[in-house]
Amino acid sequence: MPTPTTPVRPIDARGWQFEVQDLSASTETWLRIGLLTSFSHNPGENEETEDTTSFDSDGYFEQDVMQRGASISLASKYAADKAGKRDLGQAYIDDVWTYRLGVDSRNPVRWRHRTQPTWVVWDATVSPGEQGGGTTEKTSWSATITRCGKPSTAAVTPPPAGGGS
């Protein structure tokens, strides 16, 4: 007799977590990117292929993938408290990472759904997005993170006492 299984169900988009590593910290510190309203993961971004179709293909298209890429676009509300202290993840991206150039333009990021036991870790670059809003709106915030190189994974560990994640 077959064993009953739990039905597979869709997961909530709000359960995704995104963090950026603060490379200026003296110890490994990950900063949560807060108040997200949406994200878009494009696992085919910057993919390059080579057409390998030949007379031997009998009229059918053929190709080889020569380069893999990926990006994540994040959208949020520009976040600050009453004293003007910014969301730590947004502030790091806007005030530190965005201004770095060349080999210094790369920074680790990680992301996962809260139900997953591992982080996906990327070495990445960032492109800041537009900020704005109308008279009856909150200010928007966005950024696009582009993977550089092969992704890795890391186990989820409890945050250290006193902060981090």
Side-chain angles (χ1 to χ4, degrees):
M1 175 176 231
T3 308
T5 60
T6 305
V8 176
R9 298 282 304 143
I11 60 175
D12 296 337
R14 76 182 85 180
W16 289 95
Q17 302 167 348
F18 299 87
E19 296 182 347
V20 60
Q21 187 176 6
D22 181 350
L23 294 180
S24 64
S26 58
T27 59
E28 183 176 328
T29 303
W30 289 91
L31 306 172
R32 180 179 169 273
I33 303 168
L35 283 144
L36 292 176
T37 55
S38 68
F39 78 96
S40 177
H41 174 225
N42 182 346
E45 182 78 15
N46 296 315
E47 182 178 274
E48 294 290 337
T49 61
E50 174 68 19
D51 183 342
T52 58
T53 308
S54 69
F55 294 156
D56 295 332
S57 301
D58 292 326
Y60 290 94
F61 175 78
E62 295 182 29
Q63 72 176 14
D64 289 339
V65 176
M66 304 303 290
Q67 172 180 296
R68 297 281 186 196
S71 68
I72 295 174
S73 295
L74 303 174
S76 182
K77 301 299 182 188
Y78 186 97
D81 66 14
K82 288 181 181 182
K85 184 177 178 186
R86 297 275 317 279
D87 171 85
L88 295 177
Q90 288 182 14
Y92 182 84
I93 290 170
D94 289 349
D95 302 336
V96 178
W97 189 6
T98 293
Y99 291 100
R100 297 192 326 231
L101 303 171
V103 296
D104 295 328
S105 66
R106 292 187 179 191
N107 203 98
V109 295
R110 66 185 185 182
W111 54 280
R112 72 180 186 97
H113 192 269
R114 63 182 158 84
T115 61
Q116 297 173 332
T118 57
W119 292 99
V120 175
V121 182
W122 289 359
D123 189 32
T125 59
V126 69
S127 298
E130 294 181 8
Q131 296 173 0
T135 57
T136 60
E137 300 171 334
K138 299 291 186 181
T139 303
S140 64
W141 179 91
S142 63
T144 299
I145 297 168
T146 302
R147 188 182 76 208
C148 298
K150 189 175 181 179
S152 63
T153 59
V156 174
T157 57
S165 43

